[in-house]
Amino acid sequence: MTTTPLRVGVYVDVSNIHLNGGYRMQFDILRDFACRDGANPVHLNAYLAFDAQRAERDSGYRAGARQFHAALRDIGYKVIVKHVRWYTDEAGERYGKANMDLELAVDALLQGERLDRVLIASGDGDFAYLVRALQNRGCRTELIAFSNISSELRQEVDLFVSGYLIPGLLPVKSEQPWGTLESRLRGTCYHYDHDKGFGFLRYLKHIDPLLHITDARDPRSPYGTVFFHASQLPAGFDTRGLPSREHIFEFTLRPPAGEDKKDPSAAELAHVN
């Protein structure tokens, strides 16, 4: 018995992502995450602002924009560009506007009729109503963002995953591959013993369809667990907020902290978000 692959649409609010922690986001990894269960990427749309006035006088900006747009097209994205419009306020200050919310929302609504799943990359709360409209049409909605994410938008989607936690989506400075000893990883604290000063982090080992199996003890789970001691936390970090999914830590994966320990340990923790 054969099954038809799910039809997926990816809609990236590039300016929002770049301004809120995702400047080095890898668009090919985002595509792979959206298609993690063998889905067919029907639409891959990237919405960008382009300052034509700046491009006329700044050859570096002009060349960089062209290269970026070409690189996106090479990996399957349709690039939707909106020119920045310049205005002058009452104080005589010039400001530019190139909001792409309307274009993204209209495309997602029209194209969503023929999609099973839509992934939105943005933290903009204005998309909460778009999410509800897509869901009412029977379309599953997912959200990827990094920082300054609207709580309303997070609550509306069927799945939210922080872009910091997806392997390879935002590169880490590490000579070792993600998940191997001495590599740098990112994860969240799901347990913390305030009396004894230690806890456990959960991280995603690889992109996988079974994201809902968060218990790392389940052999099907794509998650790993690491032990950490409070001494490895950043100086001055307030542990009263732990455990929490809101705090994302980057850390170095080390062997178990003792002979009686089975979980690897986390060292040199840095607070990412």
Side-chain angles (χ1 to χ4, degrees):
M1 179 178 174
T2 60
T3 58
T4 303
L6 296 178
R7 296 164 60 87
V8 174
V10 177
Y11 300 85
V12 187
D13 182 358
V14 177
S15 295
N16 180 276
I17 289 294
H18 279 186
L19 291 172
N20 293 287
Y23 182 73
R24 296 184 297 127
M25 185 180 76
Q26 304 299 296
F27 283 75
D28 55 340
I29 302 297
L30 182 68
R31 177 200 60 207
D32 294 346
F33 179 85
C35 301
R36 61 191 178 274
D37 49 5
N40 180 25
V42 179
H43 297 288
L44 299 172
N45 291 1
Y47 299 82
L48 303 96
F50 179 74
D51 188 346
Q53 292 186 19
R54 179 181 174 184
E56 289 181 358
R57 65 177 185 275
D58 187 340
S59 60
Y61 171 79
R62 183 172 63 250
R66 288 176 178 173
Q67 292 174 5
F68 181 47
H69 298 177
L72 290 178
R73 294 188 181 100
D74 284 345
I75 57 176
Y77 281 84
K78 179 179 180 180
V79 178
I80 298 95
V81 176
K82 187 171 187 177
H83 285 223
V84 176
R85 293 186 178 182
W86 289 93
Y87 303 90
T88 303
D89 62 19
E90 295 179 354
E93 298 291 333
R94 294 181 74 244
Y95 65 95
K97 291 183 65 177
N99 193 301
M100 299 288 285
D101 292 4
L102 181 60
E103 288 83 353
L104 189 155
V106 169
D107 286 347
L109 278 174
L110 293 177
Q111 297 168 3
E113 294 181 348
R114 298 175 296 278
L115 298 174
D116 301 300
R117 183 167 70 223
V118 164
L119 185 149
I120 298 171
S122 176
D124 191 337
D126 289 343
F127 292 127
Y129 191 77
L130 166 64
V131 167
R132 289 193 289 270
L134 289 167
Q135 291 169 335
N136 288 335
R137 290 184 171 184
C139 191
R140 177 179 172 83
T141 60
E142 299 181 350
L143 176 69
I144 297 295
F146 297 88
S147 302
N148 299 321
I149 309 162
S150 162
S151 59
E152 182 184 7
L153 180 59
R154 288 181 58 167
Q155 293 166 7
E156 287 292 341
V157 295
D158 297 302
L159 174 70
F160 165 72
V161 180
S162 170
Y164 290 115
L165 302 177
I166 299 174
L169 186 61
L170 196 68
V172 292
K173 293 182 179 180
S174 176
E175 296 181 358
Q176 304 300 324
W178 180 285
T180 61
L181 289 179
E182 298 303 323
S183 65
R184 294 290 287 178
L185 309 177
R186 301 191 191 100
T188 56
C189 176
Y190 71 90
H191 174 77
Y192 188 78
D193 189 315
H194 291 269
D195 293 328
K196 297 181 179 179
F198 70 86
F200 291 90
L201 300 169
R202 177 184 294 122
Y203 70 96
L204 183 61
K205 294 188 290 186
H206 52 264
I207 296 174
D208 192 281
L210 301 179
L211 294 175
H212 59 283
I213 305 179
T214 57
D215 188 343
R217 294 171 297 182
D218 189 320
R220 300 170 299 165
S221 175
Y223 295 91
T225 294
V226 292
F227 167 89
F228 74 93
H229 190 269
S231 61
Q232 295 297 318
L233 287 167
F237 182 83
D238 188 352
T239 60
R240 290 177 295 180
L242 298 179
S244 171
R245 293 175 179 153
E246 303 300 319
H247 295 294
I248 296 174
F249 296 98
E250 186 172 304
F251 58 92
T252 300
L253 189 65
R254 295 273 168 78
E259 294 182 359
D260 58 335
K261 306 294 184 182
K262 63 178 181 178
D263 291 312
S265 61
E268 303 167 353
L269 274 68
H271 189 217
V272 177
N273 189 33

